[in-house]
Amino acid sequence: MKLGSTRHMGFDQALLPKRMAIVSHSHPSLSKGGAEISAYALYRGLREIGIDAIYIGACAESDRGKLALGSDSEFALFRDAARYDHFYHLAPLGVEDDLLAILAEQRIGLINFHHFYNIGLNTLRAAQRLPEMLTFLTIHEFLAICHNHGQMVTRPAQILCERARAEDCLSCFPSESRSRFALRKETMLDGFGAFDGFVSPSRFLAERFIEWGLGADRTTVIENGLLSPPETSRAERGEGAWVFGFFGQITPFKGVDVILDAADLIAKDADLARKVRLRIHGNLVGQSQGFTERFEAALKAYPFLTYAGAYNNASVHRLMSECDYLVIPSKWWENSPVVIQEAYSVGLPVICTGIGGMAEKVPDGVSGLHFRLGDASDLLRAIKLGADRRNHETLRRGIPHVSSARDMAERYLAFFATMAATRLVEAR
């Protein structure tokens, strides 16, 4: 399969409309997920290079009082969560009407959706039907393919799912029917069908969607860019303990239990326990009482294990600069975790599960180290390798350039222009 390309940056901007809209399923003042942060970074990057772009976030009506729009070029769509269909992902017609009103009032000629969740496939189709409107979709995860929160992990066994097939989906959701899952896929592909182009932040994710039914000739890969460059970077190491940091939501899929398993092993080696520090940053989300009790017990038992609590985007670079490595023990594929870009930007190599988008973004032995899915002993092997000055220096030298919001915006514009030109040719 051959994906589209954005390598040629010399494009004809006259092919593009003057005003563009970036639309996401939330706003960064309400949610700090990778998709909405990336969408907001693109919006800011476009404005930085002189493009008259607006940002539209779809938010729950109950969050209206918490929303903090950053400027008069930011807008919100409000939805009634109780009236949203989570199986077919259809929103109440009010969301559709509100979006069309904003697009008309703001004279938008190009719209780039960064999700359909909260927005609804019906709303995406309504935007596609607008005369002369250029429409694009950026894919950030598997929700279109997988009804299990887009995780591509089976229920209840929690095993990685290699491919979404009706019989497999029925195993996870036996109360549904084969015909419902077939109709769900048809609804998704119909909602996606009229887009002028698709963007994925990783080749891994793009290839999964092309296999599912997306057109390869309309799909390209563009790395997420960071909204703001770090003000600090990791200084040269001193002689203290090696610090391995986790950053993210502490959810069942993020694999913090694997770090706790590794801590149990480290505790049996007195020399290693003096040599390393495990530092966990993030919110506890959706964990069982059993995990929470184990987590708290481990913090009391192991001096080398620390819970640093929640953090915000403004402090992430400073906190990362106090670590030697980022650890990502995720139990699902991941796609293009922004946390990897953040770590690279301050000079941190990454130790991660060797699957999916993580393996793509962190070549083993180049800018980080891989370990086997869910295997604490193999994570311990990687930690021991990482706690070596020569290995650390080698991995730091392998860290790639990190895209900025401006870099990302320029690549998006090139792709937009390429697909606009293709549309003109096809219309003749």
Side-chain angles (χ1 to χ4, degrees), residues 27-30 40 63-71 74:
H27 187 274
S29 66
L30 298 174
Y40 196 75
D63 286 332
R64 186 184 287 267
K66 304 173 188 175
L67 178 67
L69 298 177
S71 71
E74 297 178 29

Side-chain angles (χ1 to χ4, degrees), residues 210-244:
I210 290 167
E211 181 182 271
W212 177 71
L214 233 53
D217 59 337
R218 287 186 290 155
T219 304
T220 195
V221 176
I222 300 177
E223 180 65 84
N224 291 326
L226 289 185
L227 184 58
S228 16
E231 296 179 0
T232 56
S233 60
R234 185 65 167 103
E236 290 299 318
R237 268 195 53 79
E239 297 300 324
W242 291 84
V243 181
F244 297 81

Side-chain angles (χ1 to χ4, degrees), residues 224-357:
N224 291 326
L226 289 185
L227 184 58
S228 16
E231 296 179 0
T232 56
S233 60
R234 185 65 167 103
E236 290 299 318
R237 268 195 53 79
E239 297 300 324
W242 291 84
V243 181
F244 297 81
F246 170 90
F247 289 79
Q249 300 281 23
I250 305 172
T251 68
F253 295 114
K254 292 296 184 179
V256 174
D257 58 323
V258 183
I259 294 179
L260 298 184
D261 292 341
D264 291 339
L265 299 175
I266 292 170
K268 298 175 182 178
D269 185 333
D271 289 338
L272 188 60
R274 287 189 293 269
K275 187 178 181 181
V276 305
R277 297 289 180 269
L278 305 179
R279 188 177 298 168
I280 297 174
H281 304 75
N283 285 316
L284 279 164
V285 180
Q287 290 285 6
S288 66
Q289 181 180 345
F291 173 86
T292 302
E293 290 174 352
R294 183 191 176 195
F295 186 55
E296 292 173 351
L299 291 172
K300 292 178 182 177
Y302 304 144
F304 57 84
L305 177 66
T306 304
Y307 177 46
Y311 64 96
N312 58 39
N313 281 23
S315 62
V316 66
H317 294 122
R318 174 179 58 79
L319 294 171
M320 283 187 171
S321 69
E322 298 170 0
C323 301
D324 296 295
Y325 286 90
L326 170 70
V327 179
I328 308 180
S330 291
K331 294 181 175 181
W332 75 292
W333 300 104
E334 296 281 5
N335 297 307
S336 183
V338 173
V339 70
I340 292 177
Q341 299 293 92
E342 290 169 336
Y344 282 167
S345 72
V346 295
L348 290 197
V350 178
I351 295 177
C352 66
T353 312
I355 58 172

Side-chain angles (χ1 to χ4, degrees), residues 176-187:
E176 298 292 347
S177 66
R178 182 185 295 270
S179 61
R180 282 251 295 168
F181 276 111
L183 183 57
R184 183 183 188 275
K185 180 176 181 179
E186 289 176 9
T187 302

